[in-house]
Amino acid sequence: MLHVCRIPLRWADMDAKAHVNNVQYMRLLEQSRIEWMGNTVDHPEWGDGVSLVSVHQSCDFRLETVYPAEVEVRLYLVKLGRSSVTLHQDIRTVGDERVRAEGTAVLVFTQASGGSIPIPEAARLLFQPRVTA
């Protein structure tokens, strides 16, 4: 596990049936990844113009989630490649270990000039567990 974050659900996250809207799950997964990366996708210490871009995202819905609630998003390293990283994430409500949704994301390190680049040494700190919840 690389990271855990807690996110309170908002009234606006619900759909017409008073459940959390499916698109909001993708936003929760994204928010967790952004928090894990230090609230930015590029860091000056990685190199000039280096950033992480998302090339794949998926989400499987397991259980309905209702408002009000606070969710916990857990982020796990699945695979560390030459220029990419594959992550697994799951969403649970705080106090309930049942997985509400789970997803996969593939992120690639790129340079502003175009194309993927090998993972910078300075970026490898991302792949050390920093569980904060």
Side-chain angles (χ1 to χ4, degrees), residues 24-126:
Q24 299 305 336
Y25 288 97
M26 296 300 283
R27 289 184 174 137
L28 293 167
L29 296 172
E30 175 188 53
Q31 179 61 37
S32 171
R33 291 191 306 271
I34 293 296
E35 185 179 294
W36 164 69
M37 287 185 276
N39 295 314
T40 183
V41 294
D42 45 21
H43 295 265
E45 66 272 15
W46 294 354
D48 191 33
V50 173
S51 64
L52 264 171
V53 296
S54 176
V55 297
H56 171 80
Q57 296 176 50
S58 66
C59 184
D60 295 315
F61 307 101
R62 304 290 181 214
L63 290 171
E64 296 173 335
T65 306
V66 296
Y67 175 90
E70 182 177 29
V71 296
E72 183 176 272
V73 185
R74 299 176 185 179
L75 187 144
Y76 304 87
L77 176 64
V78 174
K79 180 182 174 191
L80 191 58
R82 180 191 76 81
S83 62
S84 67
V85 57
T86 303
L87 305 170
H88 175 81
Q89 295 171 271
D90 61 48
I91 299 173
R92 305 157 194 258
T93 55
V94 173
D96 185 348
E97 283 297 308
R98 295 178 298 165
V99 174
R100 304 284 172 168
E102 57 189 332
T104 300
V106 178
L107 307 174
V108 174
F109 282 86
T110 64
Q111 192 136 39
S113 59
S116 65
I117 62 167
I119 298 170
E121 280 304 313
R124 292 193 175 271
L125 291 175
L126 283 173

